[in-house]
Amino acid sequence: MLKDANGNVAGALSTAPALGFWLADYTLQLVGVLLIVLRGTLPDAISILLGVPLLLGGTLLLFIGLERYLGQERKPWINIRLLVGFVLVPRQLEKSLARHTIPPVPRYSDR
């Protein structure tokens, strides 16, 4: 177990702030994957619409933790814009592609 010089576990997290972000990342990733795995038992609105943003948010926390670990922090609004973009852009693409779908070509046996 990770401990600081005095034997405190919480003190070790305060001296390495990246560890807190990585812990939050793995927690969000776990919950997001569990929601997606339970797609048949949970309604799709809950499992997908909540699971995917949790996975993306966890990945963003991983990147923030890596920035802190390497000492190269960015402005926080950039991270928020990335998260919003990752959640909204695929949904807009899905809506636009749904309007322009090509009907399936019938197979030779279907004629």
Side-chain angles (χ1 to χ4, degrees), residues 24-84:
D25 161 49
Y26 290 124
T27 304
L28 287 179
Q29 296 276 343
L30 175 70
V31 173
V33 167
L34 285 176
L35 285 173
I36 291 174
V37 167
L38 294 174
R39 184 174 174 195
T41 35
L42 293 175
D44 287 347
I46 292 173
S47 66
I48 295 173
L49 295 178
L50 196 61
V52 172
L54 284 176
L55 287 172
L56 294 173
T59 304
L60 188 61
L61 287 177
L62 173 68
F63 291 146
I64 293 171
L66 286 172
E67 289 173 355
R68 297 240 172 141
Y69 180 74
L70 297 173
Q72 300 176 356
E73 295 184 43
R74 293 185 292 178
K75 305 233 185 286
W77 61 269
I78 295 173
N79 295 326
I80 294 169
R81 286 176 52 186
L82 278 173
L83 180 62
V84 170

Side-chain angles (χ1 to χ4, degrees), residues 1-12:
M1 181 167 265
L2 183 64
K3 296 182 181 181
D4 65 356
N6 297 328
N8 297 329
V9 175

